[in-house]
Amino acid sequence: MDKLPLTANELGMLWTQYVQNSMVDQILRYFLETVENEKTKSVIEETLAISIDTAKESKRLLVEDGAPAPKGFNEQDVDLNSPKLFTDSFMLTFIEHIGKAGVATNGLSLGFSVRKDVRDFLSETTRKTIDLFNHCIDTSLSEDVYIRAPQVDVQSEAEYVQGKKYSSPFKKRSLNTVEISHLFENVKTNVIGEKLCTGFAQTTKSPEIKSYLKKGKKISKKHLNTFTNTLKESDIYPPMSSSSMVSTSTTPVFSNRLIIFLMTMLSSAGQANYSAGSSASFRYDIIFNYQKLSAEISLFAKDGLDLMIKNGWLEEPSQAPDRSDLIK
């Protein structure tokens, strides 16, 4: 029986899988060249193997269906001879972050898919990504570099909300554990964003890109302080790593195209995190903060997109024919 043609959902998902994984490949190859800890190296090797396989299979499925092969990223986007820019602990934190994002993205992609071979591919990739995530967390714990969420004392019995003051932004109650969870995770993601902007800004030679990254660092620090202060209002102090995570190297490592693509990708993930945090929160002041900060990320992502278009770096996904143009 002939295979069904890929749907628009499947085409878009496979294109995204290839481009994003080909980008991550270059980062992981550099990590592998500069990592020092053997346990961390094992996690990087596993991550790289999954990323290479995912990109390869995504491209195969696209090409076999007659879709153009995306260009993505390659060895020209990274200088493997550059000095160490990020610490081993940051490498684990970065992989933890993309692992969590990978599990969520693969699950969403699976829900979009119909063809059995595509579903089988995504199911297997999801299983591998889950195993990788667990390996990464276990390694971080064993190396004492994992940043744990805060621990809190809770009431002894289940309770129901009594009145509208539970959501009041004026008479603020203490945070519930769901709100704490989202606030803490957004603290962690903004730490990653700040460190990436720092490392990229001190190594790029482009004044334009440097300016964009300095803006991103400022935004990450602002958002980090907002979430941290919200936690502190309830006497919750999120434990954070004391490691600087970024070396003093100023030698360029990654292409400007890869840098901007990664920042726009992380900005999109950040908006999704803020949307989830807003939906899960009951205090109106927290909801307002998420919505306000999400708008700021959106503008930052747009600036990145404009930079990619200006420099001819933005690769187009497959698109539907323009019927109006054909009629002309």
Side-chain angles (χ1 to χ4, degrees), residues 6 31 38 41 93 119 125-126 139 180-181 203 213-214 219 247 266 290 302 305 308-309:
L6 293 172
F31 283 178
E38 286 300 318
K41 182 178 180 180
T93 302
R119 287 185 284 113
T125 302
T126 303
T139 302
I180 293 169
S181 174
T203 54
L213 293 166
K214 287 168 69 176
I219 290 172
S247 77
L266 293 178
Y290 276 127
K302 180 186 178 298
L305 190 65
M308 294 193 73
I309 293 173

Side-chain angles (χ1 to χ4, degrees), residues 2 55 62 78 83 114 132 164 172 198 236 240 249-250 255 279 285 300 305 320:
D2 292 337
L62 286 169
V78 60
V114 176
L132 166 66
K164 293 183 179 180
K172 298 177 183 176
T198 299
I236 298 168
M240 298 307 297
S249 174
T250 58
S255 69
S279 299
D285 60 309
F300 178 70
L305 190 65

Side-chain angles (χ1 to χ4, degrees), residues 287-316:
I287 296 171
F288 175 73
N289 276 340
Y290 276 127
Q291 293 175 346
K292 179 178 65 175
L293 299 180
S294 181
E296 195 167 23
I297 294 182
S298 178
L299 291 174
F300 178 70
K302 180 186 178 298
D303 289 343
L305 190 65
D306 290 342
L307 276 174
M308 294 193 73
I309 293 173
K310 175 184 176 182
N311 289 281
W313 295 336
L314 187 63
E315 186 176 356
E316 289 186 18

